[in-house]
Each structure stands twice: as structure tokens, then as C-alpha cells.
């Protein structure tokens, strides 16, 4: 079976030295995205990936029938609103974003238009992997064009099509991978560790339990305690269009996660899915 | 002088049959607005000349939870127009996190039609939905997007047959002393009767009538049998 990919393969140097801020380096080959470094890397792309890591966390996981997405929604100040991070693309798929949110919004608009166009021309929903590939090809262009920069946002795409549920991660470099479960953004390693612990159970897991696991994995990735106001969940699957749970609709699941009930009691307290 | 009087008659230019991009697939569509409901109905017959191409083609599309559109005229134009409008409705919903109001949709349809002012959609449209106050709204259109909100309208091949009946039975034009608001049930029964009447005399209307009823509780559809001859 597949396990998730360990971290980012594109910045081993940073990981070795334990730095998180790439501009602490003096790199002569990092001004331009069209310049390779002597080590064979394109630093601008790596810096873009670092921008994704600065964003607040997102997690996604899938079973045989459903895919679930959960995000931490950061607030700029007490007076402001939470940053929306989950976007519906079509009835059968949606995304969670981390990094430069403005770039994310622009990509979201592009993806929604592509979904609509495909549906118009072919009278069928676009396959998740196809759209992800299209987006990645678009992202790649900005790793090879001067006067432009890569998109500073990573997406976790969840969707359901003829080949079942899917979880994809896209990165600024134009790479994409499919996962059983993945996390990205700040402190995402703790979420990933949690998911690695339980991922073997996901295959046949019920939707309610999946949402619980998603939220529990997110707990470690959030600066503040998770409440129904500062996180959001979305799911999609068999006979289930893409649905977002936020605020009041999320409250029952938050209660399950807060109470730290032991595993054996989780089945009884699970909320019924509408 | 005499030569002029004996001048040969003008020759008629030989008229070759010009190819037309348009064809009329027939059928009738009508909408009636009520106080807190709206009824929109269209037959399901698709004709081609004097033949029936299909007895079961819908003329109606749902655009939002509170708005439906029905179009008579050319079927392929109607199909494309409905697809285009549906895409616009989804785009609106994605951008604004809510569905288009019926009034906005009516304007959108008018604009979409006028956009093709010089190669029009050969469709005769009726838009029906609940307005922002929850009151029934019906809009009638011509092929190039001129539209107006009305209490009722009928378009398509049977429009002439139906309009006078509706004048009499909905607005009580010939009997103002009996003027009253019709209930939902009365309106649906009236619509069924009107379609039955149209089918009697209009060869292009018949087979089945799809009747959509929109209330605050949502959209319900009923299929009503019509003459198949």
C-alpha cells in the first residue's frame, strides 16, 4: 500500500540545518526563477514551497467511499474574521489551501472555471486527477518563465469520481501526488505523524470517524485550541456532494474531539450524517 | 412607342431554396404566477415538419432552488441556452456564495438573448420563480431578450389558443365582477385544462405536459398526460 511522502524533497539543505527561514541564506542563484543553482536546484521554487509551509495547516484523508478535508482558519486579529480556506470547486470536489491565500483564490477561480467548462462540453464532471494535472502543468509554467513567480500556495484537493475518492496535494513546483492521507502547512508534521499512526484503518472507516480523526490530527497543528469557529471540515464521497461543515454544523464533532473520549466509546457518540 | 408596349415581361429570378439555420420544433409553454407560488408548464413533444421527432423531450430546466426556465421553439437552441444559463447560475453561486435571485436571473436571460441580437437563439422563453418577497413571478420573453414581468404568459405554437383562456380565467378580463386570486390547486388544474385545450387544436402540442410548481418549500414536478395524436 501507499504511505505518504515524507516532507518536501526539495529543500534538504534547509532541513539539515534546522532553519525555517530560507532568506537567512545568502544564495547567489536565487534571484531569478529561471536560474539553476550549481547544486542543480531552483531556489525560487523552493522558497515558494516554504511559503506554503508558513500557511496554517490543512489535512485530508480518504476511505474507500469518502474523502475528508480539515483546515485551521487563522485570524489576523481579534477584530477580524477567520480566513476562509476551503473552497468548493464542483459538486464532486473541493480544495483546502495553505500559503499565499490570494494566490489560492486565483487558482480556485481557475479550477472552478475549468470544472464548469468541462461539464458544459462533456456533460460529465471532470475527473479529479485530470484537473489536478492541469493545475500542475499551469504551475510548472511559472517555474520556467522569467518576470513571473511561482504560485505561493499548496492545495489539498479532495474529490470523488468514477475511480472512487481521491486526495491530491499540489505544490508550487508543479508536482502533484495522490495520497491516502496528507497534511500541509505550519506544524503539519505533527498532523502527519498522527495520520501515519491510523492510516491503515481509514480504508473501511465511517465518515463520522474520519472527520474525528481529521480534527484530532489538526489539533497538534494549531497554535490555538480548535473551536468550531477557527477550523472547518469538508467531505465528499459516494452519493454525497461536496459539503462544508463550519460553525454550528461543526459543533457536534468539536465536542467529540474536545472530550478526548476513549476510542471504544467513539462509535456510540458518532453523529448521524445527513 | 409600340415597341415599348410589346416589351417582354420581366423574367422571374429563379428562387433556389435558401438554407435556414433555424427550424421550428413546435410545442407550447406557459407560466402563471400566484401569491406565494408559481406554476410553469411545457409539453414534451418535439416535432420536425409534420413528423414527431420525440414524445419525451423536456423544455424546462431548473436554474436555482426557486427559479425554472421553459423555452419553446428550436430544440437545439433551447438546449444550448439552458446549458449556458445553468453555467452562469453556477458561476454566480461560486462567486457570491448564494443563488441568483429570480429578478437577477430574468435580467441575465434577457442579456444573454440580446447578446445574440444578430443571430438570435430561436427560443420563446418563460421564466418562473419566487421573487425576493416570496411572491410568484413570471417573465415572458421574445427571441432577442425583450422581457416583462407578467401575471401569466404562454409562448410557442399554442400560445394564441391559450392566451385568451388565461385572460378570462386568471385575470377575469371578461367578468371583472368575479375577479379573485386563484389558489395553487386551482391554478394547476387550470394549467392542465389549458394544455388539454391546446392539444385539441394544435398539432405540435401533445404527448405529456411537465408541470413545475414552485413554493417556498421547493420545486415539485408533475407529469400530465396529453393527447398523443
Amino acid at each position: 500500500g501507499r504511505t505518504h511522502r515524507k516532507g518536501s524533497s526539495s529543500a534538504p539543505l534547509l532541513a539539515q540545518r534546522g532553519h525555517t527561514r530560507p532568506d537567512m541564506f545568502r544564495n547567489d542563484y536565487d534571484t531569478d526563477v529561471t536560474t539553476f543553482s550549481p547544486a542543480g536546484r531552483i531556489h525560487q521554487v523552493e522558497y515558494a514551497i516554504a511559503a506554503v509551509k508558513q500557511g496554517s495547516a490543512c489535512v485530508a484523508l480518504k476511505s474507500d467511499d469518502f474523502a475528508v478535508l480539515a483546515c485551521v482558519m487563522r485570524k489576523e486579529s481579534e477584530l477580524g474574521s477567520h480566513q476562509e480556506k476551503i473552497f468548493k470547486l464542483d459538486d464532486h470536489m473541493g480544495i483546502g489551501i495553505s500559503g499565499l491565500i490570494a494566490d489560492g483564490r486565483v487558482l480556485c477561480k481557475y479550477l472552478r472555471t475549468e470544472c464548469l467548462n468541462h461539464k458544459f462540453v462533456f456533460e460529465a464532471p471532470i475527473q479529479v486527477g485530470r484537473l489536478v494535472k492541469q493545475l500542475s502543468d499551469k504551475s510548472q509554467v511559472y517555474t520556467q518563465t522569467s518576470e513571473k513567480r511561482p504560485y505561493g500556495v499548496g492545495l489539498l484537493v479532495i474529490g470523488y469520481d468514477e475511480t472512487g475518492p481521491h486526495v491530491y496535494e499540489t505544490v508550487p513546483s508543479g508536482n502533484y501526488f495522490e495520497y491516502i492521507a496528507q497534511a500541509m502547512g505550519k506544524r503539519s508534521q505533527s498532523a502527519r505523524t498522527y495520520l501515519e499512526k491510523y492510516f491503515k484503518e481509514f480504508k473501511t472507516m465511517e465518515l463520522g470517524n474520519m472527520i474525528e480523526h481529521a480534527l484530532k490530527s489538526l489539533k497538534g497543528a494549531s497554535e490555538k485550541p480548535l473551536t468550531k469557529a477557527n477550523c472547518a471540515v469538508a467531505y465528499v464521497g459516494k452519493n454525497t456532494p461536496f459539503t462544508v461543515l463550519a460553525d454550528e454544523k461543526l459543533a457536534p464533532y468539536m465536542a467529540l474531539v474536545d472530550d478526548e473520549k476513549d476510542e471504544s466509546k467513539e462509535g456510540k457518540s458518532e453523529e448521524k450524517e445527513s | 412607342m409600340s415597341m415599348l408596349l410589346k416589351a417582354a415581361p420581366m423574367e422571374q429570378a429563379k428562387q433556389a431554396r435558401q438554407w435556414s439555420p433555424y427550424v421550428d420544433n413546435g410545442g407550447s409553454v406557459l407560466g402563471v404566477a400566484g401569491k406565494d407560488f408559481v406554476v410553469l408548464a411545457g409539453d414534451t413533444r418535439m416535432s420536425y415538419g409534420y413528423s414527431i421527432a420525440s414524445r419525451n423531450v423536456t423544455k424546462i430546466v431548473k436554474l436555482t432552488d426557486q427559479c425554472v426556465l421553459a423555452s419553446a421553439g428550436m430544440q437545439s437552441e433551447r438546449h444550448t441556452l439552458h446549458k449556458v444559463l445553468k453555467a452562469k447560475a453556477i458561476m454566480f453561486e461560486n462567486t457570491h456564495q448564494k443563488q441568483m435571485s429570480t429578478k437577477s436571473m430574468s435580467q441575465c436571460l434577457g442579456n444573454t438573448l440580446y447578446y445574440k441580437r444578430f443571430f438570435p437563439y430561436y427560443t420563446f422563453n418563460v421564466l418562473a420563480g419566487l421573487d425576493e418577497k416570496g411572491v410568484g413571478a413570471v417573465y415572458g420573453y421574445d427571441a432577442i431578450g425583450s422581457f416583462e414581468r407578467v401575471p401569466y404568459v404562454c409562448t410557442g405554437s399554442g400560445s394564441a389558443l391559450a392566451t385568451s383562456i388565461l385572460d378570462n380565467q386568471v385575470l377575469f378580463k371578461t367578468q371583472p365582477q368575479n375577479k379573485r386570486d386563484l389558489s395553487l390547486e386551482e391554478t394547476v388544474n387550470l394549467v392542465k385544462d389549458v394544455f388539454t385545450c391546446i392539444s385539441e387544436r394544435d398539432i405540435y402540442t401533445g404527448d405529456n405536459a411537465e408541470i413545475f410548481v414552485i413554493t417556498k418549500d421547493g420545486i415539485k414536478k408533475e407529469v400530465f398526460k396529453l393527447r398523443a395524436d
Side-chain angles (χ1 to χ4, degrees):
Chain A
R2 281 169 303 189
T3 56
H4 79 282
R5 286 186 83 81
K6 243 196 165 100
S8 162
S9 56
S10 53
L13 200 63
L14 298 169
Q16 275 170 38
R17 299 200 192 180
H19 285 295
T20 49
R21 283 187 56 218
D23 50 343
M24 284 170 79
F25 285 96
R26 282 224 57 218
N27 269 317
D28 292 330
Y29 306 95
D30 67 352
T31 330
D32 210 327
V33 77
T34 52
T35 309
F36 275 101
S37 80
R41 289 158 40 200
I42 305 174
H43 289 291
Q44 277 298 309
V45 176
E46 294 175 17
Y47 298 161
I49 292 171
V52 174
K53 292 213 178 98
Q54 298 302 319
S56 51
C58 282
V59 304
L61 54 128
K62 69 167 185 176
S63 67
D64 277 346
D65 290 320
F66 292 98
V68 171
L69 175 64
C71 298
V72 173
M73 301 194 300
R74 199 181 274 156
K75 215 166 32 166
E76 285 304 305
S77 81
E78 276 310 305
L79 300 168
S81 61
H82 288 286
Q83 176 62 62
E84 200 188 339
K85 285 169 44 95
I86 296 186
F87 299 96
K88 172 179 161 177
L89 298 182
D90 202 343
D91 291 328
H92 69 298
M93 68 169 141
I95 55 172
I97 62 182
S98 266
L100 266 51
I101 303 294
D103 284 6
R105 265 205 325 272
V106 159
L107 287 181
C108 178
K109 195 170 183 187
Y110 165 76
L111 293 168
R112 280 176 174 166
T113 310
E114 289 302 303
C115 282
L116 208 48
N117 271 329
H118 191 276
K119 218 188 222 171
F120 187 95
V121 172
F122 298 106
E123 286 287 330
I126 190 168
Q127 288 186 41
V128 188
R130 303 275 163 86
L131 185 62
V132 168
K133 195 186 282 185
Q134 241 176 282
L135 175 64
S136 298
D137 287 347
K138 187 177 153 81
S139 301
Q140 189 278 340
V141 172
Y142 296 104
T143 68
Q144 214 175 4
T145 311
S146 63
E147 318 287 330
K148 306 243 170 157
R149 62 161 178 83
Y151 289 111
V153 67
L155 311 184
L156 279 179
V157 183
I158 62 163
Y160 187 87
D161 59 29
E162 286 167 358
T163 48
H166 298 281
V167 172
Y168 285 94
E169 184 198 20
T170 69
V171 283
S173 61
N175 269 334
Y176 68 94
F177 295 104
E178 189 170 1
Y179 292 89
I180 295 174
Q182 173 64 312
M184 65 177 186
K186 227 172 192 164
R187 279 178 286 274
S188 54
Q189 187 51 53
S190 79
R192 225 172 281 128
T193 312
Y194 179 98
L195 293 170
E196 275 179 51
K197 196 168 157 196
Y198 291 100
F199 82 93
K200 291 202 180 89
E201 298 168 35
F202 292 161
K203 201 166 149 57
T204 50
M205 195 173 275
E206 278 193 41
L207 181 58
N209 285 337
M210 287 171 73
I211 296 177
E212 254 192 83
H213 276 297
L215 287 169
K216 280 188 172 151
S217 72
L218 211 55
K219 263 181 120 167
S222 171
E223 290 165 339
K224 304 190 178 153
L226 288 182
T227 67
K228 64 176 193 270
N230 69 0
C231 67
V233 168
Y235 58 86
V236 68
K238 203 173 189 178
N239 300 321
T240 313
F242 185 86
T243 313
V244 179
L245 294 176
D247 296 315
E248 290 316 315
K249 291 212 182 103
L250 192 53
Y253 294 97
M254 298 312 304
L256 292 172
V257 168
D258 281 338
D259 286 354
E260 306 269 34
K261 285 190 179 146
D262 62 307
E263 312 264 6
S264 55
K265 285 186 187 160
E266 264 161 19
K268 284 184 194 165
S269 49
E270 182 192 289
E271 283 288 315
K272 235 198 167 117
E273 280 312 306
S274 56
Chain B
M1 228 9 202
S2 56
M3 274 180 59
L4 279 169
L5 289 167
K6 282 188 192 162
M10 265 209 321
E11 269 194 44
Q12 291 279 25
K14 284 220 171 92
Q15 293 286 343
R17 175 119 208 269
Q18 242 275 60
W19 176 84
S20 168
Y22 295 119
V23 96
D24 188 356
N25 295 124
S28 312
V29 142
L30 80 88
V32 182
K35 231 182 179 140
D36 56 359
F37 65 88
V38 80
V39 179
L40 181 64
D43 74 322
T44 61
R45 174 174 290 179
M46 185 191 145
S47 319
Y48 195 84
Y50 286 117
S51 311
I52 295 179
S54 172
R55 296 190 190 276
N56 196 15
V57 175
T58 179
K59 292 183 174 64
I60 303 181
V61 69
K62 175 186 148 177
L63 295 173
T64 73
D65 289 337
Q66 302 227 295
C67 182
V68 285
L69 169 65
S71 320
M74 189 172 168
Q75 198 263 357
S76 56
E77 300 270 77
R78 179 197 52 70
H79 185 65
T80 306
L81 176 65
H82 286 191
K83 278 176 81 156
V84 165
L85 272 184
K86 234 191 147 140
K88 289 190 175 185
I90 294 173
M91 267 192 273
F92 185 97
E93 214 177 314
N94 279 338
T95 321
H96 302 280
Q97 304 292 319
K98 66 172 196 162
Q99 297 190 321
M100 240 197 265
S101 68
T102 303
K103 185 161 196 268
S104 300
M105 187 59 80
S106 73
Q107 189 63 54
C108 185
L109 173 56
N111 293 344
T112 308
L113 291 168
Y114 194 82
Y115 201 76
K116 285 195 13 111
R117 169 70 178 79
F118 300 108
F119 187 7
Y121 285 109
Y122 194 122
T123 54
F124 304 104
N125 302 286
V126 175
L127 186 84
L130 297 180
D131 70 10
E132 254 132 13
K133 296 201 180 81
V135 176
V138 166
Y139 296 85
Y141 293 76
D142 73 359
I144 51 171
S146 160
F147 72 99
E148 185 191 19
R149 183 172 174 180
V150 285
Y152 57 85
V153 68
C154 183
T155 63
S157 53
S159 61
L161 298 167
T163 308
S164 302
I165 307 178
L166 294 172
D167 285 340
N168 181 287
Q169 292 293 309
V170 178
L171 287 187
F172 297 90
K173 287 271 166 89
T174 53
Q175 31 169 343
Q177 66 277 14
N178 296 332
K179 192 167 183 344
R180 60 188 177 79
D181 288 332
L182 295 178
S183 73
L184 173 57
E185 212 184 311
E186 285 175 319
T187 309
V188 172
N189 286 334
L190 174 62
V191 165
K192 287 179 179 171
D193 280 348
V194 166
F195 261 96
T196 311
C197 285
I198 301 175
S199 313
E200 288 292 316
R201 298 289 180 171
D202 177 23
I203 58 173
Y204 297 113
T205 303
D207 295 319
N208 287 305
E210 285 179 327
I211 302 176
F212 281 68
V213 175
I214 310 180
T215 58
K216 63 167 168 40
D217 299 322
I219 305 179
K220 285 203 187 72
K221 173 180 152 181
E222 190 189 333
V223 178
F224 176 64
K225 242 174 133 68
L226 299 173
R227 287 183 73 127
D229 63 355

